[in-house]
Amino acid sequence: GGLKGWLVWLIVGGILAGVLVVLVLVYSAKAPGFTDDFHGLSADSLAAHGWWVVAPDTVYWNKRGAGRGGLTLYTLEGDNWPDPEHASVIRNLLQRRIPCSSFTLEWHFEDFIPHQDWQQAGVLLSEDTAIGSRSLRVSIAYNDYNGVYPRSGMILLQAIVSRGGMKPEEIAHVPLLYEDSLRRNPAVASFFDHTALRIVKEGDRLRILYADGILANTSFRQIGSYELPIDFRYAGLFALKGFVDSSANMPVRFSYFSLDCENFK
């Protein structure tokens, strides 16, 4: 009887231990949603929230709290676009891990209207921390380059996929506002008071959405849907201007960031 009792207790204990392990794994895999409104910008506060800074430019990184709330980055010289004359770099890239394969990521700008080539800011998704890894860059940018033909500058939503060792692919190029229109009607600048973007990744399917900034709660509209079999594991907030020195180091204010896991893999 004693031996059987011990066997019963061992079996029951094994089952309970197995259930506990499963619960722990399920709970730990279900990464909680993360949001940040960037009220705390000290090094300790950012680290406690899971952020770290890549390729810091000390002068401008120290100005990250210069705006009226939120995180301020600057459109410094640099790019992750391959360039035979320049090493790829994005200064003050604020990066964090993505703990799941499927997710919804969202970020908000305040009063961001780029006005010189190639000022832009947004999110860089990548499969690892190497600057040349496969990545997706989604940004609001300014461009007035059209080869030898002059044209009005435009503010656009741009998405570029870098597959590593291959030429990048521009999968989204959506004009949002032409400079001529802004000059004729300065009131349209309000479109960028509270700009918001969202990326939704479900397996290999990725959607990009945009909400203009007329109101803080303007609804999102889908820009495009793509098949993109890249397992993004890092997200970074950035501002840059490419490898040009003629454009200003423009301040860009991020007021909100969120990351929620959809499927827990």
Side-chain angles (χ1 to χ4, degrees):
L3 182 58
K4 285 185 177 180
W6 276 108
L7 286 173
V8 169
W9 279 111
L10 284 173
I11 292 170
V12 171
I15 292 172
L16 290 174
V19 170
L20 181 61
V21 168
V22 170
L23 289 174
V24 169
L25 288 174
V26 169
Y27 178 79
S28 61
K30 289 189 176 183
F34 172 81
T35 63
D36 202 336
D37 55 13
F38 302 109
H39 282 165
L41 294 177
S42 70
D44 289 345
S45 180
L46 289 171
H49 282 81
W51 297 105
W52 62 87
V53 62
V54 179
D57 177 292
T58 306
V59 172
Y60 283 95
W61 180 242
N62 287 342
K63 298 180 180 182
R64 61 189 180 275
R68 304 185 311 277
L71 166 73
T72 298
L73 299 179
Y74 291 79
T75 57
L76 303 181
E77 188 172 335
D79 210 326
N80 69 318
W81 187 287
D83 184 323
E85 298 181 9
H86 302 90
S88 297
V89 64
I90 298 179
R91 298 290 180 191
N92 297 338
L93 174 69
L94 189 64
Q95 199 167 50
R96 67 177 303 104
R97 277 193 58 83
I98 301 175
C100 48
S101 296
S102 297
F103 54 85
T104 298
L105 186 155
E106 183 176 322
W107 70 101
H108 301 174
F109 295 119
E110 298 293 321
D111 307 315
F112 176 45
I113 307 180
H115 59 276
Q116 293 176 309
D117 272 347
W118 256 95
Q119 292 171 335
Q120 62 183 283
V123 159
L124 178 72
L125 302 181
S126 55
E127 62 180 356
D128 62 47
T129 56
I131 190 70
S133 68
R134 296 194 299 171
S135 64
L136 170 69
R137 191 175 87 193
V138 180
S139 60
I140 301 295
Y142 177 91
N143 179 35
D144 63 7
Y145 178 74
N146 192 31
V148 296
Y149 302 103
R151 74 171 180 193
S152 173
M154 75 167 76
I155 300 167
L156 67 145
L157 189 158
Q158 185 185 55
I160 295 175
V161 176
S162 297
R163 302 183 188 272
M166 302 169 64
K167 285 189 175 182
E169 176 185 353
E170 188 180 42
I171 60 173
H173 184 105
V174 182
L176 302 175
L177 181 64
Y178 286 93
E179 201 169 35
D180 287 349
S181 300
L182 184 59
R183 277 195 293 265
R184 287 194 301 268
N185 184 8
V188 299
S190 63
F191 286 10
F192 297 91
D193 285 353
H194 312 284
T195 307
L197 291 101
R198 179 181 289 169
I199 298 172
V200 180
K201 192 166 193 301
E202 301 171 275
D204 289 346
R205 182 168 178 260
L206 183 138
R207 298 189 296 126
I208 298 173
L209 302 97
Y210 167 79
D212 66 44
I214 298 174
L215 300 172
N217 62 346
T218 303
S219 62
F220 283 95
R221 63 183 175 91
Q222 182 167 299
I223 296 299
S225 178
Y226 316 91
E227 288 296 314
L228 203 57
I230 301 177
D231 188 19
F232 298 118
R233 287 298 174 175
Y234 296 89
L237 300 177
F238 74 89
L240 58 83
K241 62 179 179 181
F243 293 108
V244 296
D245 57 11
S246 55
S247 299
N249 297 332
M250 178 185 182
V252 182
R253 189 153 53 99
F254 293 83
S255 59
Y256 177 84
F257 175 92
S258 69
L259 174 64
D260 289 306
C261 292
E262 300 287 344
N263 299 313
F264 308 105
K265 299 176 182 179

